[in-house]
Amino acid sequence: MEASQYLALLGLWIAGIVAPGPDVLVILRNASLGSRAAGVLTAVGVMTGNLVWITLSLTGVTVLIGQADTLQRLIQVAGALFLGWLGVSGIRAGLVARAVPDRVPSAAGGGPGSVPGEPQAPPGRSVTPGRAFVLGLVTNLSNAKAIIFFVALFANVVPVGALWWEAALVFALLVAVGLAWFTAVAWVGSVERLAAGFRRHGAAVELAAGVLFLVLALGLLLSAL
């Protein structure tokens, strides 16, 4: 591979991960309404999902999935259902928080069983490290449009006869850049001044996030059907 190919690959990769989507949304939500640790672990989960997609792309599996219409539709429907679950959970959490201001539930766990009148941690604080990681991982893997993105990315830039060390370098570059970006998103979202503003309007943020997840789920479901 030539230097221009590596630069083209990085440019397309950066454009793909920077664009707002479920990954960025779930990281910002957990980082701003929760904690920096929750945001970073969600980012690590998201990047682990991307690591799976990159590995499947380098081994040619995403091309096979892209050619299997039935399998691709099943993945899209499964992804839509998961994003829909996140959306409904977020809306429920926001509605409960509005109804009982001093009880702030979390769409990612907790909330309905809280004691009325007892101050609760902001949404996301109750997310355990393992749950934060899994939320990031499953959110990324549920985005079936990633198949199309990675097929186009590798088919247009990475040559079929790439040497093993070239594939390894591509893998390392994409993982390093992706991890740096998603971790930065988590760090920015958890900056106290910004996070405090989000927490003051936690119910509205949960509702907005829930609606966005539902819109994404509906779009994915319609494309599958």
Side-chain angles (χ1 to χ4, degrees), residues 9-21:
L9 185 67
L10 280 178
L12 292 171
W13 173 238
I14 292 172
I17 62 176
V18 169

Side-chain angles (χ1 to χ4, degrees), residues 100-141:
V100 188
D102 56 354
R103 179 178 64 179
V104 185
S106 170
S114 304
V115 179
E118 180 180 330
Q120 300 296 321
R125 294 285 187 188
S126 60
V127 181
T128 63
R131 191 172 181 82
F133 174 83
V134 170
L135 275 173
L137 173 64
V138 180
T139 299
N140 180 268
L141 292 178

Side-chain angles (χ1 to χ4, degrees), residues 30-214:
N30 282 354
S32 60
L33 295 184
S35 64
R36 179 165 296 172
V40 169
L41 285 169
T42 306
V44 173
V46 166
M47 198 53 224
T48 302
N50 277 314
L51 186 150
V52 172
W53 289 120
I54 294 170
T55 302
L56 293 178
S57 298
L58 288 172
T59 54
V61 175
T62 50
V63 175
L64 297 177
I65 295 175
Q67 294 173 347
D69 290 340
T70 302
L71 179 58
Q72 188 172 348
R73 288 182 181 181
L74 286 174
I75 295 174
Q76 287 179 311
V77 171
L81 291 176
F82 176 75
L83 293 177
W85 173 79
L86 286 181
V88 171
S89 298
I91 290 174
R92 286 181 63 248
L95 291 175
V96 172
R98 276 191 169 185
V100 188
D102 56 354
R103 179 178 64 179
V104 185
S106 170
S114 304
V115 179
E118 180 180 330
Q120 300 296 321
R125 294 285 187 188
S126 60
V127 181
T128 63
R131 191 172 181 82
F133 174 83
V134 170
L135 275 173
L137 173 64
V138 180
T139 299
N140 180 268
L141 292 178
S142 69
N143 186 7
K145 290 184 177 180
I147 297 173
I148 300 172
F149 171 75
F150 280 103
V151 168
L153 181 68
F154 283 84
N156 293 325
V157 182
V158 180
V160 177
L163 301 174
W164 70 266
W165 63 268
E166 292 176 325
L169 182 56
V170 166
F171 183 89
L173 284 173
L174 298 188
V175 170
V177 172
L179 188 59
W181 164 248
F182 289 119
T183 303
V185 171
W187 187 88
V188 171
S190 63
V191 171
E192 187 54 35
R193 182 175 297 181
L194 178 64
F198 275 105
R199 286 195 291 268
R200 280 196 300 271
H201 305 284
V205 173
E206 288 283 25
L207 286 170
V211 170
L212 284 173
F213 274 123
L214 281 180

